[in-house]
Amino acid sequence: MSSEFPLFALSEEHQAIREAVRAVCDAKVAPFAADVDEHARYPDEAAAALLAADFHAPHVPEEYGGAGADALATVIVIEEVARACASSSLIPAVNKLGSLPVQISGSEELKKRYLGKLAAGEGGFSYCLSEPDAGSDAVGMKARAVLDRGSDGDHYVLNGVKRWITNAGVSEYYTVMAVTDPEKRGRGISAFVVEKSDPGVSFGAPEKKLGIKGSPTREVYLDNVRIPADRMIGAEGTGFETAMKTLDHTRVTIAAQAVGIAQGALDYALGYAQERKQFGKSISDFQGMQFLLADMGMKVEAARQLTYAAAGKSERGDADLTFFGAAAKCFASDVAMEVTTNAVQVLGGYGYTRDYPVERMMRDAKITQIYEGTNQVQRIVMARQLLAGVQSQL
Ligand SMILES: Cc1cc2nc3c(=O)[nH]c(=O)nc-3n(C[C@H](O)[C@H](O)[C@H](O)COP(=O)(O)OP(=O)(O)OC[C@H]3O[C@@H](n4cnc5c(N)ncnc54)[C@H](O)[C@@H]3O)c2cc1C
């Protein structure tokens, strides 16, 4: 076949990105992953290395000073970082999640100001949708934003509590969804850029989590936070729509994170199975073990292919992205949970200890089935798309 037929093959540029990220991760991310997990500390080494290599927010377009990576390249970056350290992969993933609302719906002025700061490494971006009583049912949020026509110009005053916010306290910038018209439910929600330094913004204690312990998850408290009205992202009442459009794209990045975690566990299990001897031979010589490894490899590859197909749809903005984003996230995260659990099995008792990385990967994998919409919610999204007759477009 001719090389002008790129279907189902990564371009040389994408392959080069994978090699470059892997080199950074092997040298500066993987060596600290166990310590980051053990001490539930922020992955400072990874943050510095990703920033130095311009992999901290690769999706930011070149016109705003970013690396201008397409959706597939961004997925490859996140996948490779997650293969080494899932906590660290939330740096590029959440920078995309937090800033994409600005990129999708923000004014040119907001894009220039905030995407530029993100690209330049002046601060990360978090995404504030969830609340204590509004998780899967995000429309049920209570945070309020009220217009204040003061003598110093139009402002909004924000009050409320956002929960489970990844990288809260570390990020400088926050996309916050808040109710501007309680009568209109989803159409009464607006999105705003809030800065960490805005008076009235504060953070709760880090949650004590099962996995991704190096990624701080905190509540964000908004106490009479008065911000200029031009920090609204898009028109009033469009915030929920922007939030959902964002998730269509970023569920693909969670799928990438899941693929990376699963690949890391598979790689470790393959090496271990060839080293470990029982009954006078390597355990990889036993057919029962080979079948387990084969299923792991098959499922990781299927998840990767679906994720890359979804990334193509994200890049092109295809009409079936909503289905594919949900399908990739749901499938890849279920695969990551299964593959990491089986990697622990491959290592036997050793896999159950913190002396080996696979138990960390198994704990890290679990979150991919929960955030950016649980896998039950992804199935609701997929079923709605199917029943609405949205056809798959290759
Ligand atoms: C570590 C971590 C990081 C996070 N980061 C962020 C972030 O950066 N920004 C942000 O906004 N949010 C974030 N979240 C929030 C996350 O998206 C929510 O936890 C998730 O959407 C689920 O909401 P919930 O926890 O309130 O669960 P609930 O909505 O209470 O769900 C509980 C259970 O009920 C099921 N369920 C709910 N509704 C249905 C239904 N209709 N049909 C079938 N089953 C249903 C769910 O699938 C789940 O199993 C994060 C969460 C965690 C744990």
Side-chain angles (χ1 to χ4, degrees):
M1 296 297 266
S2 91
S3 59
E4 301 131 40
F5 192 65
L7 199 60
F8 296 121
L10 286 188
S11 67
E12 280 178 20
E13 195 184 325
H14 286 117
Q15 289 175 35
I17 287 170
R18 183 191 298 287
E19 281 166 26
V21 186
R22 190 167 287 199
V24 170
C25 291
D26 285 352
K28 294 179 178 157
V29 178
F32 303 100
D35 189 70
V36 160
D37 176 68
E38 186 70 27
H39 298 103
R41 68 170 179 85
Y42 189 69
D44 290 310
E45 301 86 352
L50 294 173
L51 180 60
D54 216 1
F55 290 137
H56 65 297
H59 69 286
V60 176
E62 284 173 0
E63 60 188 300
Y64 304 112
D70 61 33
L72 180 55
T74 303
V75 150
I76 291 170
V77 171
I78 292 166
E79 177 191 336
E80 284 299 324
V81 181
R83 179 176 166 271
C85 172
S87 291
S88 302
S89 71
L90 281 158
I91 295 171
V94 170
N95 279 340
K96 179 163 182 178
L97 173 68
S99 66
L100 205 59
V102 174
Q103 202 176 320
I104 291 175
S105 304
S107 65
E108 198 51 38
E109 163 58 25
L110 272 192
K111 287 185 203 176
K112 277 201 187 108
R113 194 179 340 153
Y114 288 107
L115 298 180
K117 286 171 187 278
L118 173 62
E122 287 176 33
F125 236 111
S126 290
Y127 177 88
C128 306
L129 178 68
S130 306
E131 296 187 0
D133 296 321
S136 302
D137 181 16
V139 168
M141 70 176 63
K142 296 196 185 84
R144 282 300 310 266
V146 177
L147 182 63
D148 170 16
R149 293 192 189 280
S151 56
D152 54 348
D154 286 0
H155 286 73
Y156 279 91
V157 179
L158 276 67
N159 279 288
V161 177
K162 291 294 174 180
R163 184 150 212 185
W164 310 118
I165 307 309
T166 299
N167 290 346
V170 175
S171 292
E172 287 295 325
Y173 313 111
Y174 298 80
T175 289
V176 173
M177 267 56 75
V179 176
T180 38
D181 186 344
E183 303 296 311
K184 293 190 181 159
R185 300 226 353 122
R187 290 178 197 282
I189 291 170
S190 304
F192 301 87
V193 179
V194 171
E195 300 191 10
K196 180 180 173 179
S197 58
D198 287 329
V201 174
S202 61
F203 305 97
E207 304 290 346
K208 294 175 184 155
K209 308 192 296 291
L210 174 73
I212 55 162
K213 293 188 178 201
S215 171
T217 314
R218 293 190 175 91
E219 285 191 325
V220 176
Y221 305 118
L222 304 161
D223 183 12
N224 284 319
V225 179
R226 190 169 182 271
I227 56 171
D230 66 7
R231 292 232 222 123
M232 181 183 273
I233 303 170
E236 190 170 305
T238 61
F240 193 70
E241 195 188 334
T242 298
M244 294 301 111
K245 273 191 198 159
T246 298
L247 293 178
D248 281 346
H249 293 276
T250 57
R251 282 171 179 157
V252 186
T253 64
I254 299 303
Q257 184 185 38
V259 170
I261 296 170
Q263 185 67 58
L266 174 61
D267 290 346
Y268 199 88
L270 284 170
Y272 185 90
Q274 291 169 84
E275 291 284 318
R276 174 70 174 170
K277 294 205 168 37
Q278 288 292 282
F279 301 99
K281 32 169 127 160
S282 295
I283 58 170
S284 60
D285 288 339
F286 300 121
Q287 194 179 50
M289 180 58 66
Q290 290 174 358
F291 282 7
L292 187 62
L293 293 169
D295 278 349
M296 291 161 73
M298 173 176 72
K299 289 178 182 176
V300 171
E301 204 48 59
R304 179 178 291 115
Q305 298 296 327
L306 181 56
T307 302
Y308 289 6
K313 288 169 186 296
S314 166
E315 182 62 27
R316 294 186 299 270
D318 287 352
D320 57 356
L321 169 62
T322 300
F323 178 87
F324 269 79
K329 189 271 189 192
C330 187
F331 186 80
S333 59
D334 284 351
V335 163
M337 200 63 242
E338 185 184 329
V339 166
T340 54
T341 305
N342 285 339
V344 171
Q345 195 70 19
V346 170
L347 271 70
Y350 296 97
Y352 201 64
T353 71
R354 288 200 213 168
D355 297 333
Y356 293 84
V358 286
E359 64 84 32
R360 181 187 85 235
M361 294 165 175
M362 180 177 155
R363 287 184 287 104
D364 287 346
K366 184 63 199 167
I367 192 59
T368 63
Q369 295 180 307
I370 296 173
Y371 57 17
E372 296 212 17
T374 64
N375 282 2
Q376 283 78 19
V377 167
Q378 306 307 321
R379 288 177 168 95
I380 295 171
V381 170
M382 284 186 271
R384 278 190 192 144
Q385 292 292 302
L386 291 172
L387 293 168
V390 177
Q391 296 295 316
S392 170
Q393 304 165 337
L394 253 189

